Amino acid sequence: MNPNVVPTRRRPASILIVPFCALAAIGPSLASAQGTAPAAPPAISAADSVWLAVSTALVLLMTPALALFYGGMVRRKNVLSTMMHSFALMGTVSIIWLLLTYSLAFGKSSGFIGSLEFALGNGISMKASYPHTAMTVPAGLFMLFQMMFAIITPALISGAIAERMKFGGYLLFTSLWAILVYAPVACWVWNPDGWLYKKGVLDFAGGTVVHLASGVSALAACIVLGKRKALEQHEPVLPNNITTTLLGAGLLWFGWIGFNAGSALAMNDIAVSAFLSTHVAAAAGMLGWMLCEKLRYGRATALGGASGLVAGLVGITPAAGFVTPLSGILIGLIAGVLCCLAIGLKHKLKFDDALDVVGVHGVGGAAGAVLTAILADATVNSAVDASLKSNGGRGGLIMWQIIGVLTVAAFAFVATLILMKITQAIVGVRTTNDEETQGLDLTLHGEAGYNL
Amino acid sequence: MNPNVVPTRRRPASILIVPFCALAAIGPSLASAQGTAPAAPPAISAADSVWLAVSTALVLLMTPALALFYGGMVRRKNVLSTMMHSFALMGTVSIIWLLLTYSLAFGKSSGFIGSLEFALGNGISMKASYPHTAMTVPAGLFMLFQMMFAIITPALISGAIAERMKFGGYLLFTSLWAILVYAPVACWVWNPDGWLYKKGVLDFAGGTVVHLASGVSALAACIVLGKRKALEQHEPVLPNNITTTLLGAGLLWFGWIGFNAGSALAMNDIAVSAFLSTHVAAAAGMLGWMLCEKLRYGRATALGGASGLVAGLVGITPAAGFVTPLSGILIGLIAGVLCCLAIGLKHKLKFDDALDVVGVHGVGGAAGAVLTAILADATVNSAVDASLKSNGGRGGLIMWQIIGVLTVAAFAFVATLILMKITQAIVGVRTTNDEETQGLDLTLHGEAGYNL
Amino acid sequence: MNPNVVPTRRRPASILIVPFCALAAIGPSLASAQGTAPAAPPAISAADSVWLAVSTALVLLMTPALALFYGGMVRRKNVLSTMMHSFALMGTVSIIWLLLTYSLAFGKSSGFIGSLEFALGNGISMKASYPHTAMTVPAGLFMLFQMMFAIITPALISGAIAERMKFGGYLLFTSLWAILVYAPVACWVWNPDGWLYKKGVLDFAGGTVVHLASGVSALAACIVLGKRKALEQHEPVLPNNITTTLLGAGLLWFGWIGFNAGSALAMNDIAVSAFLSTHVAAAAGMLGWMLCEKLRYGRATALGGASGLVAGLVGITPAAGFVTPLSGILIGLIAGVLCCLAIGLKHKLKFDDALDVVGVHGVGGAAGAVLTAILADATVNSAVDASLKSNGGRGGLIMWQIIGVLTVAAFAFVATLILMKITQAIVGVRTTNDEETQGLDLTLHGEAGYNL
Amino acid sequence: MTKIEAYIRTHLLEAVHHALDELHVHGMTVIDVRGMGSSKGVHHLYRGSEYTLTLTPRLKLEIVVNDDQVEEVVEAIRKASYTGEVGDGKILTVSLGQVVRIRTGEKGEGAL
Amino acid sequence: MTKIEAYIRTHLLEAVHHALDELHVHGMTVIDVRGMGSSKGVHHLYRGSEYTLTLTPRLKLEIVVNDDQVEEVVEAIRKASYTGEVGDGKILTVSLGQVVRIRTGEKGEGAL
Amino acid sequence: MTKIEAYIRTHLLEAVHHALDELHVHGMTVIDVRGMGSSKGVHHLYRGSEYTLTLTPRLKLEIVVNDDQVEEVVEAIRKASYTGEVGDGKILTVSLGQVVRIRTGEKGEGAL
Ligand SMILES: Nc1ncnc2c1ncn2[C@@H]1O[C@H](COP(=O)(O)OP(=O)(O)O)[C@@H](O)[C@H]1O
Ligand SMILES: Nc1ncnc2c1ncn2[C@@H]1O[C@H](COP(=O)(O)OP(=O)(O)O)[C@@H](O)[C@H]1O
Ligand SMILES: Nc1ncnc2c1ncn2[C@@H]1O[C@H](COP(=O)(O)OP(=O)(O)O)[C@@H](O)[C@H]1O
């Protein structure tokens, strides 16, 4: 199958739709010329590069934002250890990505894992674009943008294992996960040679790669880790500082603009559509969750609002550049309500998903992926058209999207179980009862979050 | 009167001044051609679009920033309810704007209210520019940018009614306000068909539409709501966390760059001027307020510094793209000192404007609007020249600017009184004494902000 | 020596490398034409201007971020006074820079201090570029970008004098320092007429001008000021809120992208290289510091991680646009470990550098400057090539870089001693014992940071 | 000398303070506490997990007075901290051995 | 009437609470305190400066009971707050003068 | 057994701690309190609203000692927490019924 007609989240930015700047600069003639001759890579666009650089910075900010979002929800004695779970990965995964996993994800590939062509940062140009798909931005910038996704994805898992995991074990596990789970999944879905990518599976900004993968892995991780003592003893577990969580949620919303609209990899109509649908989905997600709380518990909470906007953002992530604004509202609303209900599962099924990663990112990510297949609109993004064709219509697309969800979920779940067991064997994963009661901040890090 | 010579805050970005990118790309010839033939809309500029997208993200961040700014100033028992007042509007107003109020504000208009041409998001192109004025950015992006203004404006009011308003009543009131007050005022001042706009009233980024309207409405709202019990009983009302307020102020300053410089709707000399005058006005506002405190109370406070920089930003908002840097310093200084004195009014006039929305946004907005007419400089922005001409000189401009201020103030005040009364009748506006003493966080939302 | 071949951190952005947008727009022909005829200033690029405007906003945010980073580390009774030290300079230095010091730093110069050509903001164009070097951005924007550096540099010093300096004395000292230390040093290193600049000294984004100068000045300042009573009485000095410090660190990382990648003054391969090396250096710095702690104290701390990422960013600042990603990792790692060890000096040498400005910015800045000379790579930035040539090879470059470090350090140290003494004589520098024990927030500002 | 201890509602501190002023009692120490008793406690809701915290915020007042003042002070506190709703709290008296004023070393009555 | 005061480990509050319930003792006031005693204290590490804080977080419980209940309540608290590790804390009893219930003005036993 | 209670200035804790060490008194409980007395209170200024908070931060110390130690301990605390400025605080003694060490069940003197 000719890669040039493979539907992608990337091509629209570069070929099917001609960047404005090129338009303004070179005029329709050459523009259409590009449209017809994708062989010749399009020129690097400074404007598109600026947009991607800004988006990269925005996604970079999301990991500290996640640290705040999670940090506010745990008990005060674990606030720093929880925040460290996010910050530390900005250290480890950044290095791992540059040296190895970028190549495993985006290097020339058989479809399952990338080659080592870019290992140690080799052959990543700061001037020319990524060689395997047509883009209007330098490869080095594309690699940086993708790096930020690679950082936050394992960090999302940390919410599930909060308040009871050894720091060393956490670092080892997340490093293994970044290499053996994230890189392959990113390759399948986003590498132009990826097998799911070739099936025309649609994932605009990471509903499957980021949210579903982390959400399912979170389930596996907290099953291996077991419940916190406090839960067994039915002690109340109160969030230490919800204002911190609200701040985190606000910064996540801000950063998510880069996450989704930046995934157009150019400043064009796709980017604008993604921005708009992302924003209204977050809005609808917040309202959906608060409504759900109001009906179930008689009151809407601030924590619920913050959780709902994140749920909406999770839901829209795979769909952002493929759907109309009204579909964005619908997706956000569904995600908000669904996740509000889904977080109840852990009580029924008795697993200790401390900060509801499974309920929000697992369920929200899966729902978003399926809704993308249902609502993706060719008038918004011609890639949808190509994807529908190559899958023989809507039914086929939905089916393949579901297959994508199931494969990624199954792989992430099993792989995480194994990696957690390996970590357990090597350095251990669970803190002692004493550490847990005294709090991880003082016992693992020798610090108190607050000395007020 | 020929709209093509109407002075506007928008045209400079698109016609009178040719975007750099176009310049660099197409050269002076076509550029001046554009200048003479506005009939043909200028090409979309990727660079201008990137700038507006970034600015939109920055203004988006201002509402969470406001939540922090306000949240730190209330008593700890109301911190979440206060923050919710800002966050919740990111949910409600975003949806309302897309479905209805964008069209009411920017749809084809008789001058007082826009048509429904864009209702439900219809006819908002992600590729082509806004049809009724020449712009170099896609209409969808312009709509998103304006959405952020529509969100934060009613959120500003929440500072006045803090610590004693029912959440349901707040949501109903702000929704009505967004439709029946914000949309019309935005139409008058910013819609190319708006009656004040046609009079050449200058409001670069919202001194009248955003700050004056919200500040005056805040007065009406807190009059209807009445005083907090704590004030009647002369209990001390201490801000729970000024570090949170400082963080909010810092993020507001950051976001305000997008608010003002982004209002050039392009990256050009107007945008740079707006950025510069905005920044120095914030600086001067901070110094002005702190100086005022030092002289009156013998000490400058951190809360005063934070309040002063916001006052400076409020003052410069209508003037940003029209004045020289030195005028920016002057406006900021005046706004800082003036607002520092104005917040005393509430004690004299005995209304309970909890977080000084009237003193800062009402007074600062009005002062800024008038100072804009006095200091607007044609060498900075040729739109000023046109505006002076169409008003028969400086005197006329000042007069019309004052008329603009008075009309908007009168309308916002009366309309808010009515909407608050309606809300009172339907769902009620004031919490019970018990809720007020226990705190709204626990009684309305079932949460405590801090469990430290 | 012909300025056109002088290696600069600026030229690559504008001449040696042709901005993408120009490329895309005007094609190679004119591009190379520019390369050969620098006499004709390159056209302003909208895309480059957007990148610089965004970078300016990012650097603007770094000062509030610093307020949080420092604020969290002091005792609760001094949190506001510490945060004010950063915020207040956003007021004073912004005005001073526009009116005076920009001209002293970047005006036509004999090599040691700039002329008054731009004083009072005169002759700073919002349309045309800075006259003395070829740039593709408006002079007004360049001035704003540089302003943010001028603000944060003295603010960095405040960490050393925290918890015991008079507010009035602080404002006077920092104002004098901004004029008499920052402006000259910036002129030497960054003004195209600067004597160090002409020697080909490499400082991409301020390792010498910002970090070394502030770090050394911090030492002089805290020597004059003396130790806090708490240290003499061996009371434990506990950070009041490390979550605030982590938030600050996260925002600093985010803002530093603008600081370093923005210093390319255009969106091109230099900017992308700078972005990448900056990011991985921060990552490596965090890991380096935590490793150092783990080995020395048996545990890695959150505060250590936050300190380490800042150390890595300090180390990479002079090198960002000159080195490969792998060198970036190396520099970050070295800076992280080195600073972790260097902060012990104050205990040995018995000076009270409250928040380790000397250990992190002084030592890290010096190390970064030297490492830049060692690792600068001509394949990354052709300016390095020119610099090596003009210095007769690597050895000469390293020697001149060390000379630069020593001169700046000596000047900053002596000048700061004098300015602190002058301040002491005029308004005094040290607070009373009573103010120190009660806390500066209540005694100097009449506020409490927290009323929880 | 006697120490009067009272557990009261947080928002009634000002009122008690005022009542004591009228008796010219100017010395008092206030402690933030959490208390339970006949009242039901407060509901918290975090992501669907509902907790009823039986311990609710209260203030503990400690007031050292001369024995002859005990009656009037106890009565004044009772009046000022009374609402009639469940949760008003208790007042206790503890008789003290000695009382010393740090600044002067005065003992007994002189220490107040 | 007697006031029982106990210094206990923070995480054992729930257990003591439970033990009191079984004795139908529903009134208690809890105070966040820091305590030192035989236990060594906790190490803090901030940028290379190590501190050993001898004062560690503890809870102080205050429970007013009728004299006949003192023994069983003290015993119940002791059992519930026992771990056997150094740092378990102490239980004290203080005999009270009078006890008044603010809501009703009842004195003595009726006040509980 | 006796419980010594002292209201002192927050920054003098270290000094008192040190003084107690010298008497080999290692058990103490510290409580953050707010107190008022002869001292004027502290001025707060928020956006032009000035408040004088009569209640200022203090520490309450509770130290259980054997009766024979009371005098020296009270004196040691007094010396260590003395500044001579208004606001130094008070020291009280309360005689206890029984004292139990939770870890061992020891009663009386053995409990310390
Ligand atoms: N037996 C007790 N011991 C210690 N404190 C008590 C006791 N009973 C009540 N309190 C304190 O008094 C407060 C109010 O008591 P509660 O019984 O709820 O009110 P009421 O006296 O109106 O029935 C409680 O929150 C607690 O702090
Ligand atoms: N003499 C004392 N006076 C007041 N409080 C004490 C005294 N001794 C112990 N405490 C309190 O009891 C807690 C535990 O006491 P500690 O002596 O450490 O345990 P243990 O009784 O098992 O030896 C301390 O943290 C402190 O709060
Ligand atoms: N009568 C009292 N009852 C309870 N606490 C008191 C009393 N008098 C003083 N205190 C406590 O002692 C502290 C200092 O007392 P104060 O009278 O201000 O100092 P001085 O004893 O030097 O006059 C107060 O802040 C308060 O905590």
Side-chain angles (χ1 to χ4, degrees), chain C residues 95-188:
Chain C
I95 309 288
I96 293 171
W97 181 257
L98 170 62
L99 299 182
L100 177 62
T101 46
Y102 169 65
S103 194
L104 295 182
F106 289 98
K108 201 107 215 63
S109 168
S110 62
F112 296 94
I113 189 76
S115 72
L116 293 178
E117 65 172 325
F118 301 128
L120 303 181
N122 287 328
I124 303 173
S125 170
M126 305 296 149
K127 283 204 181 80
S129 72
Y130 172 71
H132 308 318
T133 336
M135 292 188 208
T136 59
V137 298
L141 192 52
F142 171 70
M143 183 271 279
L144 258 175
F145 181 65
Q146 292 296 338
M147 181 192 283
M148 304 308 160
F149 287 65
I151 293 169
I152 198 167
T153 306
L156 288 168
I157 302 174
S158 70
I161 53 82
E163 302 200 303
R164 62 197 190 281
M165 188 164 185
K166 276 188 171 171
F167 190 55
Y170 174 77
L171 291 182
L172 176 58
F173 164 71
T174 48
S175 301
L176 293 171
W177 194 91
I179 298 167
L180 299 169
V181 180
Y182 185 79
V185 173
C187 174
W188 303 351

Side-chain angles (χ1 to χ4, degrees), chain E residues 18-98:
Chain E
H18 193 71
L20 293 175
D21 270 350
E22 302 201 327
L23 297 179
H24 305 295
V25 173
H26 299 304
M28 170 167 74
T29 298
V30 179
I31 310 175
D32 293 301
V33 302
R34 288 170 295 153
M36 63 190 221
S38 326
S39 46
K40 316 160 309 315
V42 176
H43 293 282
H44 286 240
L45 171 65
Y46 300 108
R47 279 199 171 169
S49 305
E50 288 188 280
Y51 303 107
T52 303
L53 300 191
T54 47
L55 288 166
T56 55
R58 287 287 186 275
L59 291 178
K60 183 188 181 192
L61 312 181
E62 300 188 347
I63 303 159
V64 180
V65 295
N66 296 334
D67 299 343
D68 54 17
Q69 276 193 296
V70 173
E71 276 321 311
E72 57 175 1
V73 173
V74 168
E75 192 50 23
I77 294 174
R78 205 185 67 71
K79 283 219 190 65
S81 61
Y82 172 87
T83 71
E85 303 292 312
V86 170
D88 276 353
K90 320 277 185 225
I91 304 171
L92 327 170
T93 64
V94 181
S95 74
L96 300 173
Q98 50 170 304

Side-chain angles (χ1 to χ4, degrees), chain A residues 113-428:
Chain A
I113 189 74
S115 73
L116 293 178
E117 64 171 326
F118 301 128
L120 305 180
N122 287 328
I124 303 171
S125 170
M126 304 296 148
K127 284 202 181 81
S129 72
Y130 173 71
H132 309 318
T133 337
M135 291 188 208
T136 59
V137 298
L141 192 52
F142 172 69
M143 182 271 281
L144 257 175
F145 181 65
Q146 292 296 337
M147 181 192 284
M148 304 308 160
F149 288 65
I151 293 169
I152 198 168
T153 306
L156 287 169
I157 302 174
S158 70
I161 53 83
E163 301 198 304
R164 64 197 189 283
M165 188 163 184
K166 277 189 170 169
F167 190 55
Y170 174 78
L171 291 182
L172 176 58
F173 164 70
T174 48
S175 301
L176 293 171
W177 195 92
I179 299 168
L180 299 170
V181 181
Y182 185 79
V185 173
C187 174
W188 304 352
V189 182
W190 285 340
N191 187 311
D193 300 327
W195 71 277
L196 285 171
Y197 177 104
K198 289 196 166 175
K199 290 298 177 191
V201 165
L202 296 174
D203 185 0
F204 192 78
T208 312
V209 179
V210 173
H211 299 292
L212 179 64
S214 60
V216 171
S217 300
L219 177 59
C222 65
I223 286 172
V224 175
L225 207 52
K227 283 191 165 192
R228 286 165 291 173
K229 289 174 76 327
L231 259 67
E232 287 160 358
Q233 291 154 11
H234 306 292
E235 292 169 19
V237 177
L238 306 178
N240 73 87
N241 189 341
I242 292 179
T243 68
T244 302
T245 296
L246 287 175
L247 165 59
L251 290 176
L252 282 171
W253 192 332
F254 177 62
W256 224 295
I257 303 307
F259 199 92
N260 285 7
S263 289
L265 301 176
M267 175 43 66
N268 53 27
D269 59 335
I270 306 287
V272 176
S273 295
F275 193 155
L276 178 52
S277 62
T278 298
H279 180 76
V280 293
M286 187 193 324
L287 297 179
W289 189 300
M290 286 168 63
L291 195 72
C292 164
E293 279 186 325
K294 180 72 182 170
L295 298 177
R296 286 192 69 177
Y297 310 106
R299 47 167 56 104
T301 69
L303 183 55
S307 311
L309 72 89
V310 170
L313 288 163
V314 168
I316 197 66
T317 294
F322 298 128
V323 300
T324 64
L326 296 189
S327 299
I329 295 177
L330 185 64
I331 292 173
L333 202 62
I334 293 173
V337 174
L338 195 64
C339 295
C340 172
L341 301 173
I343 59 169
L345 285 174
K346 69 182 183 185
H347 302 301
K348 291 206 188 36
L349 305 182
K350 308 226 176 305
F351 57 92
D352 182 9
D353 176 13
L355 307 181
D356 302 304
V357 184
V358 180
V360 174
H361 298 274
V363 174
V370 176
L371 286 165
T372 301
I374 297 169
L375 296 168
D377 185 330
T379 65
V380 173
N381 187 329
S382 47
V384 174
D385 197 36
S387 191
L388 285 169
K389 285 211 186 63
S390 71
N391 281 294
R394 184 70 62 182
L397 175 57
I398 295 176
M399 190 196 71
W400 266 105
Q401 200 81 350
I402 292 173
I403 291 172
V405 166
L406 296 178
T407 349
V408 170
F411 173 73
F413 187 83
V414 174
T416 300
L417 279 182
I418 297 167
L419 295 181
M420 281 292 286
K421 288 294 183 187
I422 292 171
T423 309
Q424 194 168 34
I426 302 174
V427 296

Side-chain angles (χ1 to χ4, degrees), chain C residues 78-325:
Chain C
N78 298 317
V79 60
L80 294 182
S81 76
T82 300
M83 292 182 78
M84 283 295 275
H85 284 165
S86 291
F87 271 92
L89 300 197
M90 296 178 77
T92 55
V93 177
S94 297
I95 309 288
I96 293 171
W97 181 257
L98 170 62
L99 299 182
L100 177 62
T101 46
Y102 169 65
S103 194
L104 295 182
F106 289 98
K108 201 107 215 63
S109 168
S110 62
F112 296 94
I113 189 76
S115 72
L116 293 178
E117 65 172 325
F118 301 128
L120 303 181
N122 287 328
I124 303 173
S125 170
M126 305 296 149
K127 283 204 181 80
S129 72
Y130 172 71
H132 308 318
T133 336
M135 292 188 208
T136 59
V137 298
L141 192 52
F142 171 70
M143 183 271 279
L144 258 175
F145 181 65
Q146 292 296 338
M147 181 192 283
M148 304 308 160
F149 287 65
I151 293 169
I152 198 167
T153 306
L156 288 168
I157 302 174
S158 70
I161 53 82
E163 302 200 303
R164 62 197 190 281
M165 188 164 185
K166 276 188 171 171
F167 190 55
Y170 174 77
L171 291 182
L172 176 58
F173 164 71
T174 48
S175 301
L176 293 171
W177 194 91
I179 298 167
L180 299 169
V181 180
Y182 185 79
V185 173
C187 174
W188 303 351
V189 181
W190 285 340
N191 187 310
D193 300 328
W195 70 277
L196 285 171
Y197 176 105
K198 288 196 168 177
K199 291 297 177 191
V201 165
L202 296 174
D203 184 1
F204 193 77
T208 312
V209 179
V210 174
H211 298 293
L212 179 66
S214 60
V216 171
S217 300
L219 177 59
C222 65
I223 287 171
V224 174
L225 206 51
K227 285 190 163 191
R228 286 165 290 173
K229 290 175 80 315
L231 259 68
E232 287 160 356
Q233 290 155 11
H234 307 291
E235 291 169 21
V237 177
L238 306 178
N240 72 88
N241 190 342
I242 292 179
T243 68
T244 302
T245 296
L246 286 175
L247 165 59
L251 291 176
L252 281 171
W253 193 332
F254 177 62
W256 224 295
I257 303 307
F259 199 92
N260 286 6
S263 288
L265 301 176
M267 174 44 65
N268 53 26
D269 59 335
I270 307 288
V272 176
S273 296
F275 194 155
L276 178 52
S277 62
T278 299
H279 180 76
V280 293
M286 188 196 316
L287 297 178
W289 190 300
M290 286 168 62
L291 195 72
C292 165
E293 278 187 325
K294 180 72 181 171
L295 297 177
R296 288 192 68 176
Y297 310 106
R299 45 167 57 105
T301 69
L303 183 55
S307 310
L309 72 90
V310 170
L313 288 163
V314 168
I316 196 67
T317 295
F322 298 128
V323 299
T324 64

